[in-house]
Amino acid sequence: MQNTITNGKRTLIERKGISAKTLLVIIAAIWLLAMILIGISAPLIAVHDYQQIDLVKRLLPPSWMAGGDADHFFGTDNLGRDNLSRLFYSIRLSLLVAILGTVICAIVGTTIGFVAAHFRGFVDDIIMMLVDFQASLPFMILALAVIAFFESSIVLFIGIMGIYGWERYARFARALALSAEEQGYAVAVRTFGASPVRVYVRHILPNVGNTLLVNMTLNFPKVILMETSLSFLGLGIQPPNTSLGNLVGFGRDYLLTAWWLTIIPAAAIFLTTLSMSILGDWVRDKLDPALK
């Protein structure tokens, strides 16, 4: 009977023309969309104030476990705060930092790469030297140094995430721009008197945008993992704000007695980064000209 059901599911999928890989991409896209919607609507769907302390209800297990409270679906933390509400707000802030960090990094790195390709010579050598220096320097050490010298804030933290991996964008943008400048369309618009900014923004960028977009989708999981790692160490998002890394960090002392404090946000991190990696691979297969 079980084999018949399994074969029936496979036949249905095959009839609809959906491969296993495509089905996996659809599931990943649905998960990411759900995370984005949760982040946007966190103030509306959170049943409790995520900062509200109730020591009488501290360390309650999830509602489906013995001793759980139906009013706290994912239980409570060591201060009696509702875990589900805190999870919603953590997803909201973690995604905000990761998305803004990825976008800023892409803009900064692409701009630097275009500058190197345009001026070449001494400027190109200096920029590529900085790229090699950044690639050889562990980013965690750089982030720790910046946080140690400046007061930690959300704006500073987003700025730090905004320079994570800029050297990869600079390499890609420089190489793609040098290749595009030798093609007919770039030479033609330059002959007609177009400014360098117009040439790069209006003509070269749209033609190399697919490759840069692929790099963004592949870099996003790294940014969110770096954010959660720093927050886990207590160096990222600071209370009263909360992030997924904060939840994992605060729950590690209760891993044996209140596993839900760590496992639930850790599962959200894992599934989000996995889904973005799957979607990034799919975007690469569809847009990267080298794979066509």
Side-chain angles (χ1 to χ4, degrees):
M1 177 66 70
Q2 185 175 1
N3 293 333
T4 303
I5 295 175
T6 303
N7 293 332
K9 290 181 179 179
R10 290 177 180 175
T11 304
L12 179 61
I13 291 175
E14 291 174 356
R15 287 178 182 176
K16 293 184 177 180
I18 301 177
S19 64
K21 183 177 181 180
T22 303
L23 184 62
L24 192 61
V25 171
I26 293 174
I27 295 174
I30 292 174
W31 175 266
L32 290 175
L33 180 60
M35 292 295 100
I36 293 174
L37 291 177
I38 289 174
I40 294 174
S41 59
L44 301 176
I45 62 178
V47 180
H48 301 274
D49 181 359
Y50 76 100
Q51 299 180 11
Q52 182 179 355
I53 297 175
D54 187 358
L55 295 179
V56 176
K57 295 184 177 181
R58 65 187 302 269
L59 296 178
L60 285 178
S63 60
W64 65 83
M65 296 177 58
D69 188 338
D71 198 31
H72 301 281
F73 184 73
F74 280 157
T76 60
D77 64 2
N78 59 320
L79 296 178
R81 296 172 294 189
D82 182 62
N83 284 332
L84 182 60
S85 300
R86 290 179 62 77
L87 181 66
F88 288 159
Y89 278 89
S90 296
I91 292 172
R92 176 188 180 93
L93 191 53
S94 291
L95 286 182
L96 176 65
V97 171
I99 291 173
L100 289 180
T102 301
V103 172
I104 293 172
C105 184
I107 294 174
V108 171
T110 302
T111 302
I112 293 175
F114 283 170
V115 169
H118 176 70
F119 288 101
R120 304 190 185 185
F122 178 75
V123 175
D124 187 17
D125 292 339
I126 294 297
I127 290 177
M128 295 311 297
M129 186 182 302
L130 293 175
V131 167
D132 293 335
F133 175 77
Q134 176 65 30
S136 63
L137 179 66
F139 184 79
M140 182 69 76
I141 296 178
L142 177 62
L144 294 176
V146 173
I147 294 174
F149 280 102
F150 299 96
E151 183 178 356
S152 180
S153 65
I154 295 180
V155 175
L156 174 64
F157 196 63
I158 292 176
I160 293 174
M161 293 297 100
I163 62 172
Y164 177 53
W166 69 267
E167 71 279 359
R168 291 189 290 272
Y169 290 99
R171 287 185 186 275
F172 274 117
R174 174 182 174 273
L176 294 172
L178 289 175
S179 176
E181 282 188 346
E182 303 301 326
Q183 299 180 18
Y185 69 90
V187 176
V189 295
R190 191 179 294 109
T191 303
F192 282 108
S195 64
V197 175
R198 183 181 179 84
V199 172
Y200 281 96
V201 175
R202 295 290 300 275
H203 300 282
I204 294 181
L205 182 59
N207 285 278
V208 303
N210 288 346
T211 304
L212 295 176
L213 179 61
V214 170
N215 195 39
M216 287 181 64
T217 59
L218 296 177
N219 193 59
F220 179 84
K222 299 178 182 178
V223 174
I224 196 170
L225 286 176
M226 178 58 67
E227 181 275 322
T228 53
S229 298
L230 290 172
S231 296
F232 173 81
L233 295 174
L235 301 172
I237 304 299
Q238 299 297 319
N241 297 307
T242 182
S243 70
L244 294 174
N246 282 135
L247 295 185
V248 176
F250 292 152
R252 66 180 183 271
D253 295 332
Y254 302 92
L255 188 59
L256 297 179
T257 57
W259 56 264
W260 56 88
L261 297 180
T262 298
I263 298 301
I264 292 176
I269 295 171
F270 169 73
L271 292 175
T272 302
T273 54
L274 177 62
S275 298
M276 194 63 204
S277 297
I278 293 173
L279 199 61
D281 288 339
W282 177 81
V283 172
R284 181 192 60 189
D285 294 341
K286 294 296 181 181
L287 298 182
D288 194 345
L291 297 177
K292 293 182 179 180

